[in-house]
């Protein structure tokens, strides 16, 4: 196998949840650039269509599958539709997620469950449906879960997000423990502070912006495209003996005191 073929995704199909914009779309674009056919997912069909057009206008193979990752029946129906249409998902990126900031003493259980359902339970449900098919086909596959710095450390006011992302790290290891024998590699990416729409309130706060820049050895916020190389690696044959790992793309933040 040549160096270039190690990262070639030609002939593979990747489903990326929460990919109508932000990190998900950047990851979808990276996988498409490496030859994969990508399926974008989200709940807003109009936004998905716009993102699909942006990719196909560049010559990439892209389509959309609109469903709510928190609706188990909808997830199962989406995969049944893939089966009916002969669509084989070789690569799954569990990217869908939300943030909710509130001190724990003011946090109600409904908001706690909403964050856990979106950020953690959905990765289990979508991952299970993808893996069932990967196992039955006996050709393996790749599952990439999106974690966070909060998979390792906590900050105030983000308890449900931190619990969910900590869970992602060990869900990933559980997937590897059970599915590696079937040729499935399950790994995770832990982004640092990335300049996305979800973090707009933080990037526009001068005090917090200064803290991120001073706390990060690279001296800047990450960009969505900073995850591209890691995503391609974990989706490609180059990572065939990498399993159950979380790779932090954080500009060095976790490496220093």
């Amino acid at each position: 196998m040549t160096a270039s073929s190690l990262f070639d995704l030609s002939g593979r199909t990747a489903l990326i949840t929460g990919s109508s914009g932000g990190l998900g779309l950047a990851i979808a674009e990276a996988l498409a650039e490496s030859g994969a056919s990508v399926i974008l997912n989200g709940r807003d069909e109009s936004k998905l269509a716009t993102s699909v057009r942006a990719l196909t206008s560049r010559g990439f193979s892209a389509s959309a599958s609109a469903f709510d990752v928190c609706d188990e029946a909808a997830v199962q129906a989406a995969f049944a539709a893939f089966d009916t249409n002969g669509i084989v998902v070789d690569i799954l990126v569990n990217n869908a997620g939300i943030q909710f900031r509130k001190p724990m003493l003011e946090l109600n259980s409904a908001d706690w469950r909403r964050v856990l359902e979106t950020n953690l339970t959905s990765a289990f449900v979508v991952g299970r449906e993808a893996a069932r098919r990967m196992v039955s086909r006996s050709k393996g596959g790749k599952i990439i879960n999106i974690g966070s710095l909060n998979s390792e450390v906590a900050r105030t006011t983000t308890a449900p997000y931190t619990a969910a992302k900590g869970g992602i790290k060990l869900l990933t290891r559980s997937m590897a423990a059970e599915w590696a024998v079937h040729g499935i590699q399950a790994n995770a990416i832990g982004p640092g502070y990335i300049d996305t729409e979800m973090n707009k309130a933080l990037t526009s706060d001068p005090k917090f912006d200064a803290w991120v820049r001073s706390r990060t050895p690279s001296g800047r916020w990450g960009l969505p495209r900073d995850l591209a190389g890691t995503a391609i690696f974990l989706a490609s044959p180059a990572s065939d003996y990498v399993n159950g790992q979380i790779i932090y793309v954080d500009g060095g933040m976790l490496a220093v005191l």
Side-chain angles (χ1 to χ4, degrees):
M1 184 174 289
T2 65
S4 60
S5 65
L6 279 174
F7 301 96
D8 184 11
L9 301 180
S10 298
R12 311 286 181 89
T13 297
L15 169 64
I16 305 95
T17 67
S19 54
S20 58
L23 292 184
L25 183 56
I27 290 171
E29 181 180 16
L31 300 184
E33 288 172 345
S34 291
S37 296
V38 297
I39 305 171
L40 306 187
N41 159 262
R43 293 180 297 177
D44 187 330
E45 293 189 23
S46 176
K47 191 173 181 182
L48 280 174
T50 298
S51 297
V52 167
R53 284 194 298 271
L55 291 177
T56 56
S57 68
R58 297 175 55 194
F60 300 136
S61 175
S63 60
S65 179
F67 62 87
D68 184 350
V69 296
C70 294
D71 182 338
E72 186 169 4
V75 172
Q76 292 174 327
F79 275 89
F82 295 154
D83 296 339
T84 298
N85 293 311
I87 297 171
V88 174
V89 175
D90 308 287
I91 302 160
L92 168 65
V93 181
N94 278 313
N95 169 74
I98 59 173
Q99 176 61 284
F100 184 79
R101 296 180 175 89
K102 183 170 281 192
M104 278 193 285
L105 295 182
E106 301 171 17
L107 183 66
N108 63 54
S109 57
D111 286 325
W112 170 274
R113 286 193 295 269
R114 180 169 60 92
V115 176
L116 268 290
E117 285 289 317
T118 306
N119 293 24
L120 178 59
T121 304
S122 74
F124 157 67
V125 173
V126 181
R128 181 193 64 197
E129 294 306 308
R132 278 176 172 165
R133 289 154 175 85
M134 292 173 182
V135 169
S136 68
R137 290 192 298 268
S138 300
K139 292 184 179 180
K142 303 282 187 174
I143 297 175
I144 304 170
N145 298 319
I146 303 302
S148 166
L149 291 178
N150 291 123
S151 297
E152 295 289 343
V153 294
R155 283 186 59 83
T156 59
T157 75
T158 63
Y161 183 85
T162 299
K165 293 303 185 179
I168 282 289
K169 181 173 74 169
L170 290 179
L171 173 64
T172 300
R173 292 182 178 175
S174 295
M175 289 175 168
E178 294 197 16
W179 299 338
V181 69
H182 300 289
I184 297 170
Q185 290 84 54
N187 293 288
I189 300 174
Y193 283 97
I194 310 295
D195 188 357
T196 62
E197 188 62 33
M198 192 168 81
N199 284 330
K200 186 61 72 175
L202 302 180
T203 58
S204 60
D205 179 336
K207 184 176 180 180
F208 196 88
D209 174 63
W211 178 82
V212 168
R213 294 176 186 276
S214 65
R215 180 67 176 76
T216 305
S218 294
R220 64 174 178 87
W221 288 76
L223 301 173
R225 288 289 294 176
D226 286 324
L227 273 63
T230 306
I232 293 167
F233 167 66
L234 292 178
S236 73
S239 62
D240 280 353
Y241 202 57
V242 179
N243 223 335
Q245 304 303 308
I246 182 165
I247 300 175
Y248 291 98
V249 183
D250 65 352
M253 182 176 274
L254 281 179
V256 299
L257 292 175

